[in-house]
Amino acid sequence: MTKKSNIAITIEALAQAVKANFEGDGSISISGAAPITKAQPGEITFIANEKYIKFLENTKASAIVLDKDTPCPKHITAIRHDNPYLTFARIIDILYTEEPQIPIGVDSASIVEKGAEISPSSHIGPLCHIKNNAQIGDNSKLISSVYIGNNVTIGNNCLIYPGVIILDDTKIGDNVIIHSSTVIGSDGFGYAESDKGLKKIKQIGWVEIDNDVEIGSNCSVDRGALGPTKIGRGTKIDNLVQIAHNVEIGNNCIIVSQVGISGSTKLGNGVILAGQVGVVGHLEIGDGARVGAKSGVSKSVLPDKTVFGSPARDIMKAKRIEASLVHLPKLLKRVRIIEKKIKD
Amino acid sequence: MTKKSNIAITIEALAQAVKANFEGDGSISISGAAPITKAQPGEITFIANEKYIKFLENTKASAIVLDKDTPCPKHITAIRHDNPYLTFARIIDILYTEEPQIPIGVDSASIVEKGAEISPSSHIGPLCHIKNNAQIGDNSKLISSVYIGNNVTIGNNCLIYPGVIILDDTKIGDNVIIHSSTVIGSDGFGYAESDKGLKKIKQIGWVEIDNDVEIGSNCSVDRGALGPTKIGRGTKIDNLVQIAHNVEIGNNCIIVSQVGISGSTKLGNGVILAGQVGVVGHLEIGDGARVGAKSGVSKSVLPDKTVFGSPARDIMKAKRIEASLVHLPKLLKRVRIIEKKIKD
Amino acid sequence: MTKKSNIAITIEALAQAVKANFEGDGSISISGAAPITKAQPGEITFIANEKYIKFLENTKASAIVLDKDTPCPKHITAIRHDNPYLTFARIIDILYTEEPQIPIGVDSASIVEKGAEISPSSHIGPLCHIKNNAQIGDNSKLISSVYIGNNVTIGNNCLIYPGVIILDDTKIGDNVIIHSSTVIGSDGFGYAESDKGLKKIKQIGWVEIDNDVEIGSNCSVDRGALGPTKIGRGTKIDNLVQIAHNVEIGNNCIIVSQVGISGSTKLGNGVILAGQVGVVGHLEIGDGARVGAKSGVSKSVLPDKTVFGSPARDIMKAKRIEASLVHLPKLLKRVRIIEKKIKD
């Protein structure tokens, strides 16, 4: 089962819209997008990964987005582009427009404290609570049950899903998307030892989220202890991610689900942390560095380096260790045999 | 301290209700259930694990659920069943009935958009927001502050705890339980690289949850990119679990807390993933496969296989490696000694 | 950029308030606190870690909190204390008082069921739902959109952030802080196998949280199966932590982000679990034990022991294994060479 698009459009028109060429019958009307194995006549699909070329012959799709080189069966119309995945993403945007239309204005079942400034072009759904001196920019949408603390600023064209909590003093740029139940600006985890147990260090900092950031559901982004916790422009964060106080994340990073970044660690630009990675505090992860899934990063990582494992090491080293581990049980026996032989 | 049950009932009546036999005085009245070390006179306990047999002699419980073979002290009445844990579960259901009674109907402090169809036998608590064309079946309960998106369908006898967010187009079967702050249908994590940074792939899919599924608190279940993310009949999911887009989980699986399952991975039926397991994307985990706690699964797993470790290996292999690791530091020294000897 | 404090106060007055001595000009007015590299004139900073002594010479701060021995440049006024971090924490409390003032009473947009007892000195913000027989003590604050179940008791001076869900029968002491989207009292994960699939074990227990506990955002604390899940006095829990049913945590423990503690495990007092640690069920972790980040604890840990790794071992052993692992790939080759030599 696939999802019908909101509009039907010819392949020719689609190709033109995404600035790509096509081969085959451009007059066919497209009314849906689907994976190659599930697509039906009238639908478009794509190949961005060689593994899927084997399904090309038998797909029922009417059109397919391909790179410039992959041969295409005659019965399918090919839309050709150097970056087929990006092109397919653009086609989806055309086929599946937002629905239903969301009305502008503040729902009467929301609470807006005095001093809050809300752009008249924004949409504030029901059961939201917007506190004193908060600012919400043009065309931004708070779907439902969103909490916006004192002095929070949210830019233009933001999309805040139900159940998001944005606490005092958070600054959010334009085109930011935050998914449900994520908490921005909870207190950092800081205590000093005292005779009477652990004394809380009041967390007086805040969170800054730059333009074009997307943050998944059930994430925790803590406010800085004294200054900001920062998430740089264009960075994308998956679900259930922990960002501790004073962390600074650069631009265009990819932080996959269930990652935890400890306090005061800095990530450069274009860093990729795969799922369930943990990074200890006060480290520097250089521009373009990559960390493999489930790794535990205990030392700073140089730019463009790929590390893996727990503790994380250079990925080539880590893979060699991993490969040799299989031989360890027998190695113990072999050394025992050698020791015996030598003794004799 | 233990919890008093809502009713008092004789052991004889209890045994009859759960279709088990009893040995000893069946006329004793039972008004509570407790662990074997904490149970008091008038309470019932159980043994489902041999480790606890040692507490049998000194328990103060008046009755105990046992298997057919374990000897029972004379002063305690035994309820006998091949599956004592299941029998105890059924006894708890009898002793502790739901309280207080929840009224049917929609609370006036909830918002129901037009087009939503809500069974008159359901309970919609306050501060809920139910959007256009949503459908809620018979005897289902939304306790408080639940968000139900456009076109969501929820079957009969479901129980949705406070703070749950169910986003557009989700399909939920009958007898489903979802715990607080869980998010169903947030966007999958998909981007295409472009000259201007990461371009979001609009996630046009949905989530399908079959009958008898239970999902814990603070979980994230992402909608599919183009089609469904699926959770099969009878599957149980613990807290803080990540289910990425296009994942398909079979029937009667057990997914323990803080597990993460990456995009497009398929689990068969009866799969068990222990706590904090991570599974990379596009894998197949066969029927009845088991994955040990904290494992990182980077390859598909055959049916009925048990794997462990990070990266996950056959559990016997993994345990052998783990056992030999302890000897590695000395092994290095031993080899150095051998090398010296040989050199001489 | 740093945050201006709510008041300005002379160093002399500050030192007196925190019972510390000062060296230098005590008449300077302080109106902010900041990290040593970012502090500006008129601000106070601190050094609690030797790594930061190098920044002392060039800081622009007007005052600094130091231990008794670290030399201080003449142009900066030093506040001296044996525990500079604790002293700095107290100074922050003085400089940054709560703002804005929160009014007492129950917001008219909240729902309070009959039978709930709410102290008139407490603050119940909007969109809260407080159920039957709940009790809320003096000076406690529920900021917004908080759910309080039936028979919940909350002590004095508690601070409950927006979106927190506290389910039926939970008992919370005084001075407890709970951060947003955390769920207290969700069902434990317990099922018995039956012919018809997994049968839910009704979770009839509850959660007990003692005085002075702080729990981060997006945590899940499950109710006990039959009795309590307990969190001891003064314990601090970070974000995204899983506490399973029947867990008992002692006093003054530190549980860092994304830790998972499985069912019925007991932690003594003063235990530290670093980030992403997993602990299997039914274990005992002794007083003062420490577990390194990302460790998987599969056996009980003796008091005051430090363990590390997955599976967790004595930390010295674990470090030795880790250090030797790097040599493993070459060791394999070396043994092969030895075997050849011996064969000859």
Side-chain angles (χ1 to χ4, degrees):
Chain A
M1 180 183 162
T2 49
K3 192 169 177 176
K4 226 179 131 54
S5 63
N6 309 93
I7 62 162
I9 181 170
T10 64
I11 295 172
E12 187 175 2
L14 263 185
Q16 199 181 346
V18 299
K19 289 174 191 157
N21 299 319
F22 70 92
E23 292 166 20
D25 183 354
S27 70
I28 294 170
S29 176
I30 296 298
S31 59
I36 191 162
T37 57
K38 294 185 177 168
Q40 298 299 314
E43 295 182 338
I44 189 165
T45 188
F46 73 108
I47 291 178
N49 181 328
E50 285 188 4
K51 284 207 307 188
Y52 290 86
I53 291 179
K54 63 183 175 194
F55 298 115
L56 186 49
E57 199 58 46
N58 291 314
T59 184
K60 294 181 189 157
S62 296
I64 184 158
V65 187
L66 287 176
D67 61 22
K68 300 260 156 118
D69 304 319
T70 304
C72 185
K74 290 239 164 122
H75 63 282
I76 309 171
T77 303
I79 291 185
R80 300 272 187 192
H81 195 281
D82 283 336
N83 191 337
Y85 195 42
L86 177 62
T87 302
F88 188 69
R90 287 176 175 150
I91 286 172
I92 289 176
D93 284 349
I94 294 167
L95 291 172
Y96 298 88
T97 49
E98 194 111 357
E99 53 155 347
Q101 209 45 50
I102 295 182
I104 62 171
V106 178
D107 189 282
S108 62
S110 276
I111 290 145
V112 179
E113 297 189 5
K114 64 182 175 191
E117 285 178 38
I118 297 172
S119 161
S121 65
S122 69
H123 163 82
I124 312 296
L127 303 168
C128 294
H129 180 189
I130 298 174
K131 296 208 70 163
N132 200 17
N133 292 325
Q135 290 176 37
I136 294 171
D138 298 339
N139 303 312
S140 284
K141 295 179 182 113
L142 280 56
I143 301 300
S144 185
S145 298
V146 171
Y147 176 86
I148 304 290
N150 296 295
N151 311 311
V152 169
T153 62
I154 292 178
N156 303 324
N157 305 311
C158 290
L159 175 56
I160 314 291
Y161 278 93
V164 169
I165 312 276
I166 301 176
L167 293 145
D168 293 1
D169 304 319
T170 300
K171 298 170 207 312
I172 293 177
D174 299 332
N175 314 313
V176 170
I177 302 172
I178 303 181
H179 290 276
S180 290
S181 268
T182 276
V183 178
I184 310 290
S186 40
D187 278 357
F189 194 64
Y191 304 91
E193 290 190 33
S194 84
D195 297 344
K196 296 175 195 159
L198 297 159
K199 154 85 183 136
K200 181 176 174 73
I201 316 282
K202 191 179 265 188
Q203 304 290 301
I204 60 171
W206 62 94
V207 176
E208 290 176 21
I209 296 173
D210 207 340
N211 297 345
D212 305 315
V213 166
E214 182 163 3
I215 301 178
S217 56
N218 285 312
C219 290
S220 292
V221 181
D222 280 353
R223 65 180 55 239
L226 296 166
T229 299
K230 285 183 176 182
I231 299 176
R233 182 179 293 238
T235 283
K236 311 299 184 187
I237 296 176
D238 202 349
N239 304 328
L240 290 157
V241 168
Q242 152 75 355
I243 311 285
H245 53 182
N246 310 318
V247 165
E248 297 188 14
I249 298 178
N251 301 335
N252 299 311
C253 293
I254 296 177
I255 315 287
V256 181
S257 180
Q258 295 178 318
V259 163
I261 306 177
S262 304
S264 301
T265 282
K266 286 182 192 174
L267 272 64
N269 299 324
V271 171
I272 300 177
L273 304 184
Q276 298 186 335
V277 161
V279 185
V280 311
H282 299 271
L283 300 187
E284 305 227 357
I285 312 297
D287 291 352
R290 288 158 186 245
V291 181
K294 238 181 164 58
S295 297
V297 182
S298 55
K299 293 176 187 166
S300 289
V301 179
L302 292 174
D304 296 315
K305 235 179 127 69
T306 301
V307 298
F308 181 66
S310 185
R313 296 182 170 91
D314 171 84
I315 190 159
M316 297 309 295
K317 239 183 236 176
K319 296 249 156 173
R320 271 197 297 271
I321 290 172
E322 193 190 305
S324 23
L325 266 176
V326 190
H327 304 289
L328 182 58
K330 282 201 180 155
L331 189 68
L332 279 168
K333 287 182 196 165
R334 285 159 61 189
V335 169
R336 230 171 288 140
I337 291 170
I338 293 171
E339 286 170 332
K340 251 192 182 168
K341 274 198 181 170
I342 289 183
K343 212 180 170 186
D344 297 340
Chain B
M1 180 185 161
T2 49
K3 191 170 179 177
K4 228 180 129 50
S5 62
N6 309 95
I7 62 160
I9 180 170
T10 64
I11 296 173
E12 188 177 0
L14 262 185
Q16 200 181 345
V18 299
K19 291 175 190 159
N21 299 319
F22 70 92
E23 290 165 21
D25 183 354
S27 70
I28 294 169
S29 176
I30 295 299
S31 60
I36 189 161
T37 57
K38 294 184 176 165
Q40 298 299 313
E43 295 183 338
I44 189 165
T45 188
F46 74 107
I47 292 180
N49 181 329
E50 286 188 4
K51 284 205 309 186
Y52 290 86
I53 291 180
K54 63 183 175 193
F55 298 116
L56 186 49
E57 199 57 47
N58 292 313
T59 183
K60 295 181 190 153
S62 296
I64 184 158
V65 187
L66 289 176
D67 60 22
K68 300 259 156 117
D69 305 318
T70 305
C72 184
K74 290 237 164 122
H75 64 283
I76 309 171
T77 303
I79 290 183
R80 300 273 186 192
H81 195 282
D82 282 337
N83 191 339
Y85 195 42
L86 176 62
T87 302
F88 188 68
R90 287 176 176 151
I91 287 172
I92 290 176
D93 284 349
I94 294 167
L95 291 173
Y96 299 88
T97 49
E98 194 114 353
E99 53 157 344
Q101 210 41 56
I102 295 181
I104 62 171
V106 178
D107 189 281
S108 63
S110 275
I111 290 144
V112 179
E113 297 189 5
K114 64 180 173 191
E117 285 177 38
I118 298 173
S119 161
S121 65
S122 69
H123 162 80
I124 311 296
L127 303 168
C128 293
H129 181 190
I130 298 174
K131 297 206 71 163
N132 200 18
N133 292 324
Q135 290 176 36
I136 294 171
D138 298 339
N139 304 310
S140 283
K141 295 177 182 113
L142 279 56
I143 302 299
S144 185
S145 298
V146 171
Y147 176 86
I148 304 290
N150 296 296
N151 312 312
V152 169
T153 61
I154 292 178
N156 303 325
N157 304 311
C158 291
L159 175 55
I160 314 290
Y161 277 93
V164 168
I165 312 275
I166 301 176
L167 293 147
D168 292 2
D169 303 319
T170 299
K171 296 171 209 312
I172 293 178
D174 298 333
N175 315 313
V176 170
I177 302 173
I178 303 180
H179 289 278
S180 291
S181 269
T182 277
V183 178
I184 310 289
S186 39
D187 277 357
F189 194 65
Y191 304 91
E193 288 189 36
S194 83
D195 296 345
K196 295 174 194 160
L198 296 159
K199 153 85 181 137
K200 182 176 174 71
I201 315 283
K202 189 180 266 192
Q203 303 291 299
I204 60 169
W206 62 94
V207 176
E208 290 176 22
I209 296 173
D210 208 339
N211 297 345
D212 306 315
V213 166
E214 182 163 1
I215 302 178
S217 56
N218 284 313
C219 290
S220 293
V221 181
D222 281 351
R223 66 181 55 239
L226 296 167
T229 299
K230 285 182 177 184
I231 300 177
R233 182 180 293 236
T235 282
K236 311 299 184 188
I237 296 176
D238 202 350
N239 304 328
L240 289 157
V241 168
Q242 152 75 357
I243 310 285
H245 53 183
N246 311 319
V247 165
E248 297 188 13
I249 298 178
N251 301 335
N252 300 310
C253 292
I254 295 178
I255 314 288
V256 182
S257 179
Q258 295 178 320
V259 162
I261 305 176
S262 304
S264 302
T265 281
K266 286 183 191 173
L267 271 64
N269 299 324
V271 171
I272 300 177
L273 305 184
Q276 296 186 337
V277 161
V279 184
V280 311
H282 299 273
L283 300 188
E284 306 226 357
I285 313 296
D287 290 352
R290 288 160 186 242
V291 181
K294 238 182 163 56
S295 297
V297 182
S298 56
K299 291 177 188 166
S300 290
V301 179
L302 291 175
D304 296 315
K305 237 181 124 70
T306 301
V307 298
F308 181 65
S310 186
R313 296 182 170 94
D314 172 83
I315 190 159
M316 296 310 295
K317 237 183 238 176
K319 295 249 156 174
R320 271 197 298 271
I321 290 172
E322 194 190 303
S324 24
L325 266 176
V326 189
H327 304 290
L328 182 59
K330 281 201 181 155
L331 189 69
L332 279 168
K333 288 182 196 165
R334 286 159 62 190
V335 169
R336 229 171 288 139
I337 291 170
I338 294 170
E339 286 171 334
K340 249 190 181 169
K341 274 198 181 171
I342 290 183
K343 213 180 171 185
D344 294 342
Chain C
M1 180 186 164
T2 49
K3 191 170 178 176
K4 228 178 131 51
S5 63
N6 309 94
I7 63 161
I9 181 170
T10 64
I11 296 172
E12 187 176 3
L14 261 186
Q16 200 182 345
V18 299
K19 292 176 189 156
N21 298 318
F22 70 90
E23 290 166 21
D25 183 354
S27 70
I28 293 168
S29 177
I30 296 299
S31 60
I36 191 162
T37 56
K38 293 184 177 168
Q40 298 299 313
E43 294 183 337
I44 190 165
T45 188
F46 74 108
I47 292 180
N49 182 327
E50 284 188 2
K51 284 206 310 189
Y52 290 86
I53 291 180
K54 64 184 176 195
F55 298 116
L56 186 50
E57 199 57 48
N58 292 314
T59 183
K60 293 181 191 156
S62 295
I64 184 159
V65 187
L66 287 176
D67 61 23
K68 300 258 155 119
D69 305 319
T70 305
C72 184
K74 289 240 166 116
H75 65 282
I76 308 172
T77 303
I79 291 184
R80 299 274 186 191
H81 196 281
D82 284 337
N83 190 337
Y85 195 42
L86 176 62
T87 303
F88 188 69
R90 288 176 175 149
I91 287 172
I92 289 175
D93 284 349
I94 294 167
L95 290 172
Y96 298 88
T97 50
E98 194 112 354
E99 52 153 350
Q101 210 44 53
I102 295 181
I104 62 171
V106 178
D107 190 282
S108 63
S110 275
I111 290 145
V112 179
E113 297 189 6
K114 66 181 171 190
E117 284 178 38
I118 298 173
S119 161
S121 65
S122 69
H123 163 81
I124 311 296
L127 303 169
C128 293
H129 181 191
I130 299 175
K131 297 207 71 165
N132 199 18
N133 292 324
Q135 289 177 36
I136 293 171
D138 298 339
N139 304 310
S140 283
K141 295 178 182 115
L142 279 58
I143 302 300
S144 186
S145 299
V146 171
Y147 176 86
I148 304 290
N150 296 293
N151 312 311
V152 169
T153 62
I154 293 178
N156 304 323
N157 304 310
C158 291
L159 175 54
I160 313 291
Y161 278 93
V164 169
I165 312 277
I166 301 176
L167 294 146
D168 293 3
D169 303 317
T170 300
K171 296 170 208 316
I172 294 178
D174 298 332
N175 314 312
V176 170
I177 303 173
I178 304 180
H179 289 277
S180 290
S181 268
T182 277
V183 178
I184 311 290
S186 39
D187 277 356
F189 194 63
Y191 304 91
E193 288 189 34
S194 84
D195 296 345
K196 295 175 194 158
L198 297 160
K199 153 85 182 135
K200 180 175 175 71
I201 316 283
K202 190 180 266 190
Q203 303 290 300
I204 61 169
W206 61 93
V207 176
E208 290 176 22
I209 297 173
D210 207 340
N211 298 344
D212 305 317
V213 166
E214 181 163 2
I215 301 178
S217 56
N218 284 313
C219 291
S220 293
V221 181
D222 281 352
R223 66 180 53 239
L226 295 167
T229 299
K230 285 182 176 182
I231 300 177
R233 184 180 292 237
T235 283
K236 311 299 184 187
I237 296 176
D238 201 350
N239 305 328
L240 290 157
V241 168
Q242 152 76 354
I243 311 284
H245 54 181
N246 311 317
V247 165
E248 296 188 13
I249 298 178
N251 301 334
N252 300 310
C253 293
I254 296 178
I255 314 288
V256 181
S257 180
Q258 295 179 319
V259 162
I261 305 177
S262 304
S264 302
T265 281
K266 285 182 191 173
L267 272 62
N269 299 323
V271 171
I272 300 178
L273 305 184
Q276 296 186 335
V277 161
V279 184
V280 310
H282 299 272
L283 301 187
E284 305 226 358
I285 313 296
D287 291 352
R290 287 158 186 246
V291 181
K294 237 180 165 61
S295 296
V297 182
S298 55
K299 292 177 188 166
S300 289
V301 179
L302 291 175
D304 296 316
K305 237 180 124 69
T306 301
V307 299
F308 181 66
S310 186
R313 296 182 170 92
D314 170 84
I315 189 159
M316 296 309 296
K317 237 182 240 177
K319 296 248 156 173
R320 272 197 298 272
I321 290 172
E322 192 190 303
S324 22
L325 266 176
V326 189
H327 304 290
L328 182 58
K330 280 201 181 154
L331 189 69
L332 279 168
K333 288 182 195 164
R334 286 160 60 190
V335 170
R336 230 171 287 140
I337 291 170
I338 293 171
E339 287 171 332
K340 250 192 181 167
K341 274 198 181 173
I342 289 182
K343 212 179 170 186
D344 297 343

